[in-house]
Amino acid sequence: MRRTISLSGRRKLDLNNFDLSLDSGEFGTGVSLSVTENFERDSYSATSVVRVRLSENRRFVAVDFGPPHLLNRNVPVFMEIPDIEFHTPSYEITVVEKGGESYGKVLASTESRRYYDNLNFGADGLIKAMADTSLGNRLWALDLSGAEFPVLRVNGEIPSVLDWVSSNPVFQACVLPDVLKQVTSHVLDTDEFERQPWHSEWMEFLRTIRKFGSVPTDPDGRDSLIDELTDGFLGNFRFVEKIASSVEH
């Protein structure tokens, strides 16, 4: 397997080898972390630890998940951060030496990325969800006319529909890719001087899925970029795995 070494001497970790999620714990924010089969957990010393660094609004915390070789693949480890709540923090995953003369040395690290949870439908999210009883036989509609974030209107005739939107992996897998495509197309097609503040938030989110420079001006290049972002979104949030898991249980 190819390894990438930065000029600092530390190994670069692939974020796709980790699955991180934030949850509300009893006393603060809970962090769940699991590793995939591609993470070379046995290539680090027994005295090193996997560490997640979170930062948001001048709040910073580092959470240690133990030695890499003890992390079970695809089995999440949960750690709670007392008295601190995070919503959409920046995060970085590192492997840090905790023994001997190299104590504190960062052996490997991922790039820093902002945390988004399925577009985060909450008050601080990239998209707002609202129940709408005027949709008739339509399940959902997307409103991009406002100066604030896009609004996903879902049929209010469905009981507890907003809970369903934020937690049902089947709904998310079927609807969110189309939502992503529509919003992305809208953002890319909007002239820079006409963009709203939320457009910048969305561009930042899109670049966490796939890094890209200037937006292609030709239709084929633009459509290709949107398809790559959609595929990356589906891969990052692993909807098929979540649906399969929910069916099994």
Side-chain angles (χ1 to χ4, degrees), residues 152-170:
L152 177 63
R153 297 187 291 125
V154 289
N155 198 312
E157 299 296 336
I158 301 172
S160 303
V161 68
L162 294 182
D163 293 335
W164 189 53
V165 168
S166 62
S167 62
N168 187 295
V170 177

Side-chain angles (χ1 to χ4, degrees), residues 47-248:
T47 54
S48 62
V49 296
V50 175
R51 174 176 295 171
V52 175
R53 296 158 50 93
L54 301 168
S55 61
E56 183 180 34
N57 297 330
R58 298 183 180 179
R59 291 171 297 175
F60 169 83
V61 70
V63 184
D64 289 348
F65 283 81
H69 71 280
L70 294 182
L71 292 179
N72 292 324
R73 294 187 171 105
N74 300 315
V75 178
V77 175
F78 179 83
M79 303 289 287
E80 193 164 32
I81 309 170
D83 305 322
I84 301 178
E85 288 190 7
F86 290 99
H87 300 285
T88 56
S90 296
Y91 72 93
E92 179 185 25
I93 301 172
T94 62
V95 178
V96 181
E97 180 57 61
K98 296 293 290 289
E101 296 181 356
S102 298
Y103 183 92
K105 180 180 180 180
V106 178
L107 306 176
S109 63
T110 65
E111 62 180 351
S112 179
R113 178 173 292 184
R114 191 171 178 187
Y115 176 82
Y116 296 98
D117 181 15
N118 287 355
L119 301 183
N120 191 1
F121 289 98
D124 299 320
L126 286 168
I127 189 168
K128 311 302 179 187
M130 64 172 288
D132 186 343
T133 57
S134 68
L135 291 179
N137 291 320
R138 298 176 66 185
L139 176 62
W140 63 278
L142 185 64
D143 184 0
L144 296 169
S145 62
E148 297 184 353
F149 285 98
V151 176
L152 177 63
R153 297 187 291 125
V154 289
N155 198 312
E157 299 296 336
I158 301 172
S160 303
V161 68
L162 294 182
D163 293 335
W164 189 53
V165 168
S166 62
S167 62
N168 187 295
V170 177
F171 174 89
Q172 293 172 348
C174 294
V175 174
L176 293 187
D178 283 338
V179 170
L180 182 83
K181 281 189 173 185
Q182 289 187 39
V183 178
T184 301
S185 179
H186 171 80
V187 171
L188 297 184
D189 289 345
T190 302
D191 291 334
E192 187 171 353
F193 65 88
E194 294 180 345
R195 286 181 179 173
Q196 303 289 343
W198 70 264
H199 288 81
S200 298
E201 292 279 345
W202 263 86
M203 289 294 284
E204 180 181 350
F205 168 65
L206 294 174
R207 286 192 167 98
T208 68
I209 299 174
R210 178 191 178 281
K211 288 185 176 180
F212 61 91
S214 58
V215 178
T217 56
D218 62 293
D220 289 341
R222 172 188 166 282
D223 291 345
S224 178
L225 174 60
I226 292 174
D227 286 341
E228 290 174 7
L229 289 168
T230 303
D231 289 341
F233 172 77
L234 290 169
N236 286 352
F237 292 111
R238 303 176 181 175
F239 291 120
V240 173
E241 293 180 21
K242 292 178 181 179
I243 294 171
S245 177
S246 66
V247 171
E248 291 173 359

